[in-house]
Amino acid sequence: MAIDAYGNYSATGITPEKEVVKVYDENPKGILGKDDFLTLMLVQMQHQDPTEPMDAEKILSQTSELAGLEAATNTNKALEELTASLANSQDFSAQFSTIGAIGKMADTGSDGIVLDETGSAGFEVYFPTDVKHGTIEVADGNGNVVRNIDLEENDSGTFRFDWDGLSDAGSRVEPGIYHVNSSYIDSTDTARTTRLGAYPISSVRFENGEAQARLGSSYVPFSSIVEVYEAQ
């Protein structure tokens, strides 16, 4: 857009009002940034009355406001980036702090297994000491023991058991949730108990940004663990 020495507009047909409308057309939400304010100020200066130009104080005032707006914008942007960086750093630290749980005991808060229509279920039980002899008890939801599984002499550790879904009487039990506990005598002739759901954390891995603990032969998210404590 051109203007001659007398303040007359060229034949472009663009007026100051159209220039301002153009700014708002390109910004329909009406959110003005520093570039928009600069455009408006330049339009104002381009179309000022040559006989009564803007005074220097007014120009300096608008320039100062523009500088303040830019500084505020840059500050807000820097704060947003800092907040995001701190959040990522905290998440990163929280994730890697789980490594300190290796070697400790984890409790999932559940001793239940699901017996489905196939009529069998596999499960793992951790024995903190060597086993001399003992029994694994499988009980229904009412606490009634439906199956006793004899334990053979074995070292400490996590062992897998496969239940065929039969009761001690040899009849097939109904599908559902059953609870697994064990009472045993260890190699020092001390009576011990253990149950399904409590295992040592042997390792930690990260999958899709989520920390997972290895309990027995499986990895579970830390959100599934209700307690972590020192092994006895």
Side-chain angles (χ1 to χ4, degrees):
M1 172 166 36
I3 184 171
D4 60 22
Y6 301 98
N8 297 318
Y9 301 108
S10 64
T12 59
I14 301 177
T15 65
E17 290 79 7
K18 291 182 179 180
E19 193 73 26
V20 172
V21 169
K22 179 183 178 183
V23 172
Y24 282 95
D25 286 342
E26 294 175 352
N27 186 18
K29 294 184 178 180
I31 301 175
L32 300 180
K34 60 183 179 62
D35 292 337
D36 301 309
F37 279 106
L38 180 60
T39 299
L40 292 174
M41 188 177 74
L42 290 177
V43 170
Q44 183 181 12
M45 294 180 66
Q46 285 177 336
H47 302 293
Q48 65 183 329
D49 186 350
T51 62
E52 295 182 4
M54 295 173 59
D55 58 44
E57 183 177 352
K58 188 173 182 180
I59 294 176
L60 289 175
S61 176
Q62 292 187 353
T63 304
S64 176
E65 292 176 359
L66 179 62
L69 176 62
E70 183 174 9
T73 300
N74 292 338
T75 299
N76 289 337
K77 182 179 179 181
L79 288 174
E80 290 174 358
E81 293 176 349
L82 178 61
T83 300
S85 177
L86 289 175
N88 291 335
S89 177
Q90 290 173 352
D91 290 343
F92 184 81
S93 299
Q95 292 285 356
F96 272 85
S97 67
T98 58
I99 294 177
I102 295 176
K104 296 182 179 180
M105 291 294 296
D107 192 338
T108 62
S110 173
D111 62 357
I113 59 172
V114 177
L115 183 69
D116 57 25
E117 288 76 9
T118 63
S120 62
F123 56 88
E124 294 181 337
V125 178
Y126 171 69
F127 298 90
T129 58
D130 296 343
V131 177
K132 190 172 183 179
H133 59 84
T135 303
I136 288 180
E137 297 179 343
V138 180
D140 61 19
N142 296 320
N144 301 314
V145 177
V146 298
R147 181 66 180 270
N148 289 279
I149 302 174
D150 292 333
L151 293 174
E152 299 178 354
E153 186 174 355
N154 216 330
D155 296 332
S156 62
T158 301
F159 297 95
R160 179 180 174 85
F161 299 88
D162 292 298
W163 177 36
D164 56 11
L166 300 180
S167 66
D168 285 337
S171 60
R172 185 161 300 280
V173 301
E174 293 293 326
I177 298 177
Y178 291 83
H179 304 276
V180 177
N181 292 274
S182 176
S183 300
Y184 70 99
I185 304 297
D186 68 12
S187 57
T188 63
D189 291 328
T190 301
R192 301 260 184 188
T193 60
T194 187
R195 63 175 176 81
L196 183 76
Y199 310 91
I201 299 175
S202 57
S203 65
V204 172
R205 75 177 183 184
F206 300 90
E207 186 172 318
N208 297 325
E210 182 181 38
Q212 298 184 341
R214 182 169 182 173
L215 307 182
S217 61
S218 303
Y219 281 93
V220 301
F222 270 82
S223 59
S224 299
I225 298 174
V226 298
E227 183 180 10
V228 175
Y229 53 94
E230 295 290 344
Q232 299 297 323

